[in-house]
Amino acid sequence: MTISSTEVHQKLKFFFGFDTFKGEQEQIITHIINGEDAFVLMPTGGGKSLCYQLPALCMEGTAIVISPLIALMKNQVDAIRGFVQNDEGIAHFLNSSLTKAQIQTVKDNLSKGVTKLLYVAPESLTKEETIAFLKKIKISLYAIDEAHCISEWGHDFRPEYRRIHEIIKRIGVAPIVALTATATPKVQSDIQKNLGMIDAKVFKSSFNRPNLFYEIRDKSNPKKDIIKFIKENTGKSGIIYCLSRKKVEELAALLNMNGIKALPYHAGLDPTTRSHNQDAFLMEQVDVIVATIAFGMGIDKPDVRFVIHYDIPKSLEGYYQETGRAGRDGAEGKCVAFYSYKDIQKLEKFMQGKPISEQEIGKQLLLDVVSYAETNQCRRKILLNYFGEDYLQDNCGSCDNCLSPKAQFDGKEQMHLVMELILSLKENFKAEYLSDILSGVSNSVIKSYNHHKHPLFAAGSNKGSRFWAAVIRQGLVLNLLDKDIERYGLISVTDEGKKFFNTPYTIMLTEDRSFVEGEDDDSDDAAISAKFSQQGGGAGDPVLLAMLKDVRKSVAKKANLPTWIVCQDQSLEDMSIMYPITLDELKNCQGVGEGKAKKFGKEFVSLIEKYVKENDIIRPDDFVLRTAANKSAVKVFIIQSIDRKMPFEDIARAKDMDMEELIEEIESIVSSGTRINIDYYLRQNLEEDRLLDIYDYFKEEAQSDSITDALRDLGPDYEEEEVRLVRIKFISELGN
Ligand code: ADP
Ligand code: MG
């Protein structure tokens, strides 16, 4: 059958109401109607469905559309029925969700020849019964949607997809069209081989999405960053992807606590809730959907303005697909992903115990993700390159790296040093261990191997462990080093690496992409909530807040202390949001630790309890529970080190912080009520009378805990650092 351009345009208008084709749609459609095979590579949102739907509607017989997701199928069938009015039978789907009676209706329509499109799940297609039935009807074409599911190199491999070709041959010959948005050369050739369509014409559109902005952020405080980001983009629609259902739930609750309308979406929700949440997002009753990757396939919301990856995805294909859901209408689309190497390690753990071939693939996909995340090159270029496309511009102007370029250095010597260590330790250790040795950080494990006496111990102590970990990571990316996932991630030197080791050459490493290890990112929610509720116009309860302030005044008076020592505004604000009614719950509020809760807490919680009862307040249990913030590992380390009177410089170095960061941590420790004694450090670093001056100032004069005020009042003789240190002493002694 052939079709003219005029005709195919008429059909487009008639069936779908569109005036023009997108991209190469017309060529693809004409090609298929001519009876030829086609392989269509088009980014998400490019308009792949139409490429087989229109031919199916024009050609004689029924098109078999193989599609992986049951939910997606129903969606597509509804859409087609919507386009082509008054004929329910025109499109059907066949999958495990149908009843016997429903299946019979489908079969009747197929036999009568009214059905132009039949969507089948691969599981249903491979059933003998289905094959036998389909043999009897005329097939116009086979469309294999999401065809990357065929390839082990796709992010979504489905073994049943491997059998499609064999079954097609049994049902009967007709043109095959495979469609996917995953275009890496590996996946592409895999698909073509498997479907026996090596000679098919390949229609590949550019994968560049010029309107998308790509950014990778350090995952040190993702929740806070996300809330801030959304507040800066108020009213815009966005999707946040997390890897686990639990995280999805948590984050959605946290956003709501902070005045952001958000709903969760994941496979663990019952179908009604799920479709309700999806609709609420599509109809803009909520701005944000927090989802696992289950969300978004086939979802067509054109004005999604941001896609955030709370967790880094396990492949760049996944990343690209998910980010692709932003800005489908060609307008703004910001794509922000949070990256911490720890997440990569988590993903590696999931692979343990899987067949080796699968591990190898997974490992390679992850390496590509790491290299993308840590690169200092144009992200667009790397992405497109990954999909086998050259991007020739030097600066895309729309990714973080192009907007703020990062420094590189020749890492020849550093890489060589790393290898020297690896080889001298017989390739028997993990990256963290190696980094610690090089930076000269000793710990009990290192001592147990006597490696604190190794000749290379502290050979790179001018840099911290984090630096060395990054060198090792980049060595993995460059295929100079290898990591054995099955054996705890032991690092070895590859053949390529050995060549480098024998004759080192220049390798450019990234200087400043020092992604901090995400700490326990579950800890600081209460703090976030307080901060942002202030900015966002106060999610707190103003009446309660005023009452709490009165309580604070009276408590302070009784204890003969400044009010800000009793507790800070932010803590009160938090109480007015979370309504804690026990001392334990109170500790979830920012700035309220064990000590503070014990010392002053009772009056606050009994007021709140009374208030909650009298006003029938429903407390946000969820949030309170979830913010049960354990002290992060760093804080515990600092407290223990101070107990042991370790010099601050050493503490900071061990945690790769600078003095300023350390002081901030200590401030947050004491302001939440933990008592620590830093006299040993003050004695060594501060003259006695200066110390007393500052101390007296806080005791007698200060109206608040503001450092700015203190510096102003104390005059130019005093340095910020010493003032802050003394304030730490003061707060710790009086308040805690
Ligand atoms: P893909 O499967 O490639 O991700 P879809 O087939 O779901 O993309 O199409 C994405 C969107 O583009 C849909 O809303 C579809 O209706 C729309 N679309 C497809 N072709 C055209 C066209 N020729 N003109 C206008 N809109 C189109
Ligand atoms: Mg599609």
Side-chain angles (χ1 to χ4, degrees), residues 196-254:
M197 51 188 294
I198 298 284
D199 297 328
K201 187 163 163 76
V202 177
F203 296 88
K204 180 166 182 178
S205 29
S206 170
F207 275 58
N208 189 17
R209 298 278 310 275
N211 59 316
L212 298 190
F213 177 82
Y214 299 105
E215 181 183 0
I216 302 285
R217 291 195 196 179
D218 196 3
K219 194 174 181 179
S220 55
N221 211 336
K223 290 177 186 160
K224 189 168 138 190
D225 278 2
I226 287 173
I227 293 171
K228 184 151 177 279
F229 179 93
I230 298 175
K231 296 259 172 181
E232 286 163 2
N233 288 280
T234 322
K236 296 180 185 171
S237 288
I239 307 174
I240 305 178
Y241 287 107
C242 305
L243 277 182
S244 73
R245 296 173 185 182
K246 180 165 163 272
K247 188 58 79 191
V248 163
E249 294 280 350
E250 261 176 47
L251 194 56
L254 179 74

Side-chain angles (χ1 to χ4, degrees), residues 128-139:
E128 283 305 319
E129 189 199 338
T130 316
I131 299 172
F133 180 80
L134 291 178
K135 264 185 177 169
K136 292 184 289 191
I137 63 171
K138 175 157 180 59
I139 308 297

Side-chain angles (χ1 to χ4, degrees), residues 151 153 183-191 193 364-365 368 386:
S151 170
W153 286 96
T184 64
K186 270 194 199 105
V187 175
Q188 184 181 333
S189 89
D190 234 17
I191 296 174
K193 271 189 217 145
Q364 184 55 47
L365 294 175
D368 290 330
Y386 185 77

